[in-house]
Amino acid sequence: MCIYSESISVLTTYEIANRIKLKMKKKRGVSNSKGIDSASYLPTGVRLWPLKRYLEMYRSSLDDPEGFWSEEAQKLDWYKTWERVLDWEPPYARWFVGGRLNASFLCVDRHVKMWRRSKVAVYWEGETGETRVLSYSTLFRDVNRFASVLKKLGVGKGDRVAIYLPMIPELPTSMLACARIGAVHTVIFSGFSAQAIADRVNDIQAKVVVTADGGYRRGKIIPLKQIADEAVKLCPSVEKVIVVKRTGEAVPWTEGRDIWLSSMLDDAELFVTPEPLESTHPLYILYTSGTTGKPKGIVHSTGGYLVFNHSAYQWVFNIKEESVFWCTADVGWVTGHSSIVYAPLSHGAAIILYEGAPDYPTIGRWWDIIEKYGVTIFYTSPTAIRMFMRSGEEWLQKHDLSSLELLGSVGEPINPEAWQWFYKYIGKERCPIVDTWWQTETGGIMISPTPGIEPIPLKPGSATLPLPGVDATVVDADGKELPPGKTGLLIINKPWPGMLVNIYGDPERYHEAYWSRFPGSYYTGDFAMRDEDGYFWVLGRADEVLKVAGHRIGTAELEDAAISHPAITEVAVTSKPDEIKGEAIVLFVTLKKGSSPSATLRKEIIQHLRQVIGPIATPDEIYFVESMPKTRSGKIMRRVLKAVASGQSPGDLTTLEDEASVDEVKRAYASLKRVSKEAEADVEVRNPRS
Ligand code: WT7
């Protein structure tokens, strides 16, 4: 999807900048008198806006990363100061070596100690309308007691705990409880199926699984305990399953293994000393999709991750303890880890945790929440914005959104139309938008406007400039830096504190996926372009990874799941542009002898994918084909498939498939176009969870 066009206007950027300036009193004084020489940080030909504070910080962060990050790290509380800021033995970075700290202490105890005990930490809103408000002292109590339960069950430092919960307060509580005792959590998105859970639990050999009797989604109960049970059958490492009561529904029970959380809390200790953990101790493992069928267990450290996120949320969101921060992602994704749990709580802010669907029971639900809790920072996805855009502005007029100060977008490129709508109708033309580019692997935001440093002129569709410490560039296939206006691959030249430390159990893949293509630099897998102002435009994935409604999913993962359907011989997955979801999944399948295309089979295949992966794997379209278009060496011509799926003309396709001749590509394209699409078949298009 191309989101950049010459005609995009630079939206009244100075106006926005001036408004922010009025709002935000900069804490630190800035010396502008010296004049900033930024030339060495920008490709030739790049013009500059007169950004002073940002450039000063950016320059010092790249000139002296250790000095810079050492200063940032001092904003956190450490049990023991680090001996070295960075050990960099490519591709392994160890940040704040020798330092000791604890994430749960930073996010909870610190605020209680600073006499903010009665301050709100969590506003929870259930889909069914009930609410819970947790002050920092309540959070402190809950985290300690949960940590005590884990300890009593034999969980200790370094043990892995899998968390499969709906968006209820016990989700952040259990994460912080793990962090308190040095256990490593893996949160599994509550939309994943039993098989997907089992794969993750087995990969990390988790001892304990935390789940709930159910969760609500669009008025329906998702039977999480049942799904977890199915998974745990396949997981010999699991000794205990902790069950949180949410719905009160009857659930299957395995005596000796399953434990109600509530039954343990009465006898739990009231205080569990936070473990002073090595900075390099893993805080969590989070699975994400790559180019093979097996998801990658991304490992994040404690010290580097927390320092990076703590600083980034001040720079990007200007977050303060009085902020009411709502990130609408699910905690099951990295966005939720950093933007719901660790960063806002490390700042002592209040977070919103909303359990349900954005449009349930009405399309006004989110605006109601903003009004009800006085949300000041609202961080969401382009998919959500596009969905609301489609439903019109009528619902917005019923709500007072004047508490909003700053808006954020994340997860996929935002098209300028959606940006403008967000700016106009949600921000009422008074809130700047931060379009934040980052990844599960980067741990925190990498490219984004930084109004907390100084107002950065905004351009709808551009994530603007890299954060201090982030040495981002756009290069060609040979790693040569590209001039402004040229599209290439986005890479990061220096390690940064939030970066992943490894792929769990697979260091070779870690090296291969991120560090082998451009030695010494981190390969993001994204296409990007830098414009003449030095701004970054991230255009989408350059690999076989899809972004469907902002969710990341690999084509190989989908193909592996589809091929296990008994009627399928061969399958290739691609995507087509989707007005709301950005991209939609498209399957090409060839069938075994005896099976023939039908609407029923189509439904069955969709159901199969939902069963094996989860509802996020729902395809929008399935093409039944006689044979796959292949090159002479047997490689599927994926771009031909993509062109057919997207309804593009074969135009310049011919140059794209390396080995195939022009004629071959054209023939393949033409024969696929003839394919019977069974136009009348009623394919289920909507993905109910997205
Ligand atoms: C991929 C990472 C951590 C954010 C949640 C997604 C795409 C993310 C943007 C943005 C354009 C973006 C990239 C990236 N992406 N943010 N602001 N503009 N593209 O994390 O699931 O690991 O996906 O999301 O393609 O590589 P993720």
Side-chain angles (χ1 to χ4, degrees):
M1 178 174 58
C2 179
I3 56 159
Y4 181 70
S5 91
E6 292 298 330
S7 62
I8 295 166
S9 63
V10 175
L11 183 116
T12 57
T13 49
Y14 287 106
E15 249 179 81
I16 299 174
N18 283 330
R19 283 188 202 137
I20 310 168
K21 227 185 250 163
L22 289 176
K23 270 196 113 99
M24 297 176 183
K25 284 214 180 95
K26 271 171 272 162
K27 276 191 196 148
R28 291 180 275 188
V30 191
S31 140
N32 292 336
S33 54
K34 283 182 226 142
I36 307 293
D37 166 27
S38 53
S40 54
Y41 303 103
L42 297 162
T44 25
V46 162
R47 259 194 295 129
L48 272 177
W49 257 294
L51 299 172
K52 299 262 176 6
R53 174 101 186 109
Y54 164 80
L55 284 169
E56 188 187 30
M57 268 177 84
Y58 191 65
R59 181 172 62 167
S60 80
S61 74
L62 295 197
D63 277 351
D64 176 19
E66 300 199 14
F68 179 86
W69 287 115
S70 171
E71 230 176 82
E72 290 302 313
Q74 281 164 38
K75 295 174 182 165
L76 304 185
D77 291 12
W78 297 76
Y79 296 107
K80 182 170 168 285
T81 310
W82 51 93
E83 283 143 25
R84 285 183 310 286
V85 174
L86 171 65
D87 264 357
W88 175 226
E89 282 174 38
Y92 295 103
R94 288 154 40 89
W95 285 89
F96 310 109
V97 184
R100 285 181 180 270
L101 76 173
N102 185 285
S104 150
F105 180 87
L106 280 169
C107 294
V108 188
D109 302 38
R110 192 156 76 127
H111 311 307
V112 174
K113 283 202 177 7
M114 289 165 113
W115 307 106
R116 289 192 210 119
R117 40 176 81 241
S118 59
K119 201 200 152 283
V120 172
V122 182
Y123 288 110
W124 176 74
E125 170 127 341
E127 194 187 71
T128 42
E130 61 267 69
T131 58
R132 274 166 73 184
V133 179
L134 279 69
S135 65
Y136 272 95
S137 89
T138 317
L139 185 64
F140 177 81
R141 181 198 64 187
D142 292 357
V143 169
N144 272 286
R145 293 206 295 173
F146 208 122
S148 163
V149 169
L150 290 171
K151 267 176 65 182
K152 286 192 175 163
L153 296 177
V155 178
K157 186 175 162 187
D159 287 338
R160 275 83 56 212
V161 173
I163 302 174
Y164 183 62
L165 284 176
M167 291 276 283
I168 55 176
E170 286 77 5
L171 180 47
T173 306
S174 57
M175 291 160 76
L176 292 163
C178 288
R180 196 167 189 89
I181 60 173
V184 184
H185 60 71
T186 285
V187 179
I188 301 169
F189 173 55
S190 60
F192 276 125
S193 71
Q195 187 59 52
I197 302 169
D199 292 345
R200 288 158 175 75
V201 169
N202 283 331
D203 198 48
I204 54 167
Q205 294 288 296
K207 242 185 178 173
V208 167
V209 173
V210 182
T211 189
D213 54 359
Y216 292 93
R217 188 79 188 182
R218 281 208 178 84
K220 279 202 217 122
I221 289 181
I222 302 174
L224 297 175
K225 172 68 165 66
Q226 255 151 278
I227 302 170
D229 274 359
E230 240 183 273
V232 170
K233 267 190 223 148
L234 312 169
C235 306
S237 65
V238 175
E239 294 165 14
K240 299 284 175 200
V241 176
I242 302 177
V243 189
V244 181
K245 190 165 265 169
R246 164 69 187 111
T247 62
E249 294 281 292
V251 289
W253 205 254
T254 304
E255 269 327 313
R257 186 199 68 185
D258 299 349
I259 300 147
W260 285 108
L261 176 67
S262 52
S263 73
M264 301 275 298
L265 287 180
D266 280 349
D267 300 326
E269 293 162 80
L270 304 182
F271 181 73
V272 171
T273 311
E275 280 280 329
L277 298 167
E278 279 282 339
S279 167
T280 50
H281 185 76
L283 176 59
Y284 65 80
I285 300 166
L286 183 62
Y287 284 83
T288 191
S289 299
T291 49
T292 71
K294 190 175 181 285
K296 305 182 270 198
I298 304 300
V299 186
H300 279 293
S301 71
T302 304
Y305 174 82
L306 291 168
V307 169
F308 189 64
N309 274 294
H310 187 81
S311 295
Y313 281 65
Q314 197 269 310
W315 299 333
V316 173
F317 294 106
N318 203 26
I319 195 169
K320 304 184 190 72
E321 61 175 278
E322 56 269 31
S323 302
V324 180
F325 194 100
W326 187 15
C327 164
T328 64
D330 194 287
V331 172
W333 311 111
V334 76
T335 321
H337 280 60
S338 300
S339 316
I340 299 180
V341 183
Y342 290 111
L345 296 180
S346 79
H347 280 276
I351 57 163
I352 305 280
L353 198 64
Y354 169 55
E355 181 188 33
D359 51 356
Y360 189 86
T362 70
I363 194 88
R365 187 69 190 263
W366 276 14
W367 320 126
D368 184 45
I369 292 175
I370 291 179
E371 183 178 20
K372 182 168 169 189
Y373 300 105
V375 172
T376 60
I377 305 169
F378 179 57
Y379 190 28
T380 191
S381 71
T383 291
I385 297 164
R386 289 188 292 257
M387 187 190 92
F388 287 115
M389 242 171 114
R390 196 170 62 171
S391 57
E393 289 82 44
E394 179 207 337
W395 282 98
L396 291 168
Q397 281 143 18
K398 297 188 203 273
H399 297 281
D400 174 7
L401 305 182
S402 61
S403 60
L404 291 173
E405 290 172 7
L406 193 76
L407 307 175
S409 168
V410 64
E412 53 186 316
I414 180 163
N415 48 314
E417 299 71 27
W419 197 104
Q420 303 274 13
W421 188 88
F422 197 27
Y423 180 71
K424 186 162 175 202
Y425 293 104
I426 309 299
K428 314 286 186 210
E429 300 185 336
R430 42 173 203 89
C431 306
I433 296 179
V434 291
D435 174 2
T436 62
W437 175 87
W438 54 301
Q439 308 178 300
T440 306
E441 292 89 340
T442 68
I445 298 167
M446 301 286 277
I447 303 179
S448 166
T450 46
I453 298 174
E454 79 179 308
I456 305 263
L458 307 173
K459 297 187 197 187
S462 167
T464 74
L465 297 165
L467 262 53
V470 175
D471 188 0
T473 11
V474 178
V475 295
D476 66 12
D478 302 322
K480 213 174 102 249
E481 186 160 346
L482 287 169
K486 292 265 182 259
T487 298
L489 301 166
L490 179 61
I491 65 168
I492 316 291
N493 290 314
K494 280 192 176 61
W496 66 98
M499 69 188 249
L500 75 166
V501 293
N502 216 331
I503 292 181
Y504 191 79
D506 203 346
E508 267 161 45
R509 190 171 180 195
Y510 169 68
H511 176 259
E512 169 60 31
Y514 306 113
W515 302 95
S516 65
R517 184 146 181 192
F518 304 106
S521 295
Y522 169 83
Y523 173 51
T524 63
D526 275 340
F527 282 125
M529 189 273 289
R530 213 170 181 190
D531 70 16
E532 63 286 356
D533 295 313
Y535 277 35
F536 284 83
W537 298 77
V538 180
L539 306 166
R541 298 291 307 190
D543 53 11
E544 291 301 327
V545 168
L546 309 180
K547 279 260 129 178
V548 180
H551 299 319
R552 180 163 158 183
I553 190 150
T555 55
E557 209 175 329
L558 290 159
E559 285 164 8
D560 280 7
I563 201 77
S564 60
H565 187 281
I568 297 179
T569 338
E570 201 170 18
V571 55
V573 172
T574 185
S575 69
K576 63 171 187 177
D578 183 277
E579 238 180 74
I580 306 278
K581 295 188 282 190
E583 270 185 295
I585 299 168
V586 178
L587 253 62
F588 286 83
V589 295
T590 60
L591 296 176
K592 286 191 181 143
K593 268 216 175 82
S595 298
S596 50
S598 71
T600 319
L601 181 58
R602 188 188 301 266
K603 279 204 184 121
E604 240 183 76
I605 296 171
I606 292 171
Q607 198 43 41
H608 178 75
L609 279 167
R610 292 171 64 98
Q611 194 83 48
V612 180
I613 298 178
I616 63 164
T618 309
D620 270 22
E621 203 140 12
I622 299 176
Y623 289 84
F624 295 108
V625 297
E626 294 278 303
S627 64
M628 290 292 167
K630 285 187 184 157
T631 63
R632 267 157 291 170
S633 67
K635 251 179 70 190
I636 293 179
M637 299 184 199
R638 288 182 176 274
R639 293 185 209 236
V640 171
L641 297 180
K642 185 147 193 160
V644 171
S646 319
Q648 286 166 359
S649 79
D652 20 64
L653 261 181
T654 43
T655 52
L656 293 172
E657 292 296 342
D658 307 341
E659 296 169 59
S661 72
V662 176
D663 268 1
E664 281 169 316
V665 171
K666 280 197 172 144
R667 243 180 289 133
Y669 182 87
S671 76
L672 276 180
K673 283 293 277 184
R674 279 199 308 273
V675 136
S676 72
K677 248 188 67 182
E678 279 201 298
E680 73 284 13
D682 59 329
V683 182
E684 190 196 352
V685 180
R686 300 283 308 158
N687 168 352
R689 288 196 62 93
S690 55

